[in-house]
Amino acid sequence: MALFHGMALILLGIGCHLLRAEPASDHRNQAAQRFEDEIGRTERRTHRGTRRTTFYKDPTQKVTAVGGQTVVLLCRVKNLGNRTVSWIRKRDLHILTSMSTTYTSDARFTIVGDQDIDEWNLQIDYVQPRDTGIYECQVNTEPKIHRAIILKVLDVQAKITGPEEVYVKKGSTIGLTCIVDTQDIPPSNVTWYHAGAAIDFDGPRGGVSLETEKGKNGTTSKLLITRALLNDSGNYTCASNKVAPASVMIHVLNGEHPAAMQHGGTGNANRRAIFFSLLLLVDRTLR
């Protein structure tokens, strides 16, 4: 009986020990689970910190400009990190810029944009037809990523119909027509200048008017000056911010003149100038 009682006490003690040990085991299991959860969160944060570097989906991949304009080629990068952005000119594989540093002696090329949000746009001042081609914005990821933009520069110039020098009689009407043919870009506004100063259509001179027609193929601007005065003589220029300007020289004369007279137009100007030159040649020969 005593032996049975002793064995019962031993078993009871082992049971109590096991009961006391169970919470500690649960605690260790909970601690291990928390550690695993923390590792998982760290791995997820690390994954987010190394997200793939890509370009923003800017819509413009073809840029058309006229010689003399300033253009900006867009390059915006997501998740750049410590990587490098460079601009390459494809025709000769010339490195134009790397980050904000310019690697060309051509000062027309610069980097613009908010670099805090990774905008690395390439600005080209006074573009020329020779600038036409493909430009690539590259990021030195592994493998390298790039975004190509096609630049087309038009060699467009305004044109004033008729000869470069026009003679008109005092009191007649001066009529000048300027054509800006820009099929690949929207029609532009045209400004007229006389002797370097913009013509004031509301000025005290009066009798000066402008007719403008815009179409899908360009702009036609007609300048009319009635009752021509002697001080209306000089250089007339039509200019647009999208094309190179054109000029013509107007001579207002007191009396009838045989050379290139304009009577409300320039239809026979060239023939009269040639005829006058022939008369002078014949006169000098006979003398």
Side-chain angles (χ1 to χ4, degrees):
M1 184 69 181
L3 178 61
F4 176 77
H5 181 68
M7 292 180 64
L9 289 176
I10 292 172
L11 291 175
L12 181 62
I14 293 172
C16 291
H17 177 73
L18 290 175
L19 289 174
R20 286 196 301 271
E22 186 175 358
S25 176
D26 289 345
H27 178 73
R28 284 194 298 271
N29 291 337
Q30 293 174 3
Q33 184 63 44
R34 285 197 298 271
F35 179 71
E36 291 177 359
D37 291 344
E38 183 62 29
I39 291 176
R41 284 193 292 270
T42 302
E43 289 178 347
R44 287 193 292 272
R45 285 197 297 270
T46 303
H47 178 69
R48 286 197 299 270
T50 57
R51 286 181 294 181
R52 187 165 60 95
T53 301
T54 59
F55 295 105
Y56 283 89
K57 293 182 179 180
D58 291 311
T60 305
Q61 291 186 318
K62 292 183 180 180
V63 177
T64 301
V66 172
Q69 285 186 312
T70 294
V71 299
V72 176
L73 310 183
L74 299 181
C75 181
R76 302 187 303 143
V77 186
K78 291 181 181 179
N79 308 316
L80 179 62
N82 59 356
R83 298 173 181 86
T84 300
V85 180
S86 303
W87 276 96
I88 311 296
R89 185 170 55 205
K90 287 287 289 183
R91 76 164 185 264
D92 54 6
L93 299 180
H94 185 71
I95 300 176
L96 300 172
T97 64
S98 179
M99 302 303 281
S100 57
T101 303
T102 302
Y103 285 93
T104 174
S105 58
D106 193 337
R108 298 178 303 131
F109 293 86
T110 53
I111 291 294
V112 297
D114 189 346
Q115 296 171 9
D116 290 335
I117 58 174
D118 289 325
E119 286 185 347
W120 303 93
N121 307 323
L122 180 65
Q123 177 173 302
I124 310 175
D125 297 321
Y126 307 107
V127 292
Q128 305 297 323
R130 60 186 171 87
D131 295 321
T132 294
I134 300 174
Y135 294 79
E136 275 192 1
C137 179
Q138 298 184 351
V139 181
N140 64 337
T141 54
E142 186 59 45
K144 184 182 295 183
I145 62 173
H146 60 85
R147 180 176 188 268
I149 298 181
I150 301 173
L151 173 63
K152 181 179 181 181
V153 182
L154 305 177
D155 186 10
V156 182
Q157 181 168 350
K159 178 182 179 182
I160 297 178
T161 59
E164 296 181 355
E165 285 198 68
V166 176
Y167 295 84
V168 298
K169 185 179 180 181
K170 180 182 176 182
S172 63
T173 298
I174 302 172
L176 300 175
T177 300
C178 178
I179 300 174
V180 180
D181 184 8
T182 53
Q183 297 185 15
D184 292 336
I185 57 177
S188 58
N189 294 322
V190 173
T191 303
W192 284 90
Y193 296 87
H194 176 217
I199 294 177
D200 183 4
F201 296 95
D202 299 321
R205 161 66 172 82
V208 181
S209 62
L210 185 68
E211 297 178 5
T212 302
E213 297 178 4
K214 291 185 178 181
K216 62 180 181 179
N217 292 331
T219 303
T220 299
S221 179
K222 297 180 180 180
L223 175 68
L224 294 175
I225 303 174
T226 60
R227 302 183 302 277
L229 304 173
L230 294 179
N231 57 8
D232 289 329
S233 298
N235 180 280
Y236 286 79
T237 300
C238 75
S240 168
N241 61 342
K242 295 183 178 179
V243 300
S247 297
V248 63
M249 180 65 70
I250 299 295
H251 302 276
V252 180
L253 306 174
N254 255 321
E256 185 69 30
H257 194 284
M261 292 296 294
Q262 182 196 72
H263 299 280
T266 59
N268 298 320
N270 284 331
R271 288 194 295 271
R272 291 183 179 183
I274 294 172
F275 178 70
F276 178 65
S277 299
L278 290 174
L279 286 178
L280 289 179
L281 180 61
V282 171
D283 181 66
R284 290 179 181 177
T285 303
L286 293 176
R287 290 184 182 181

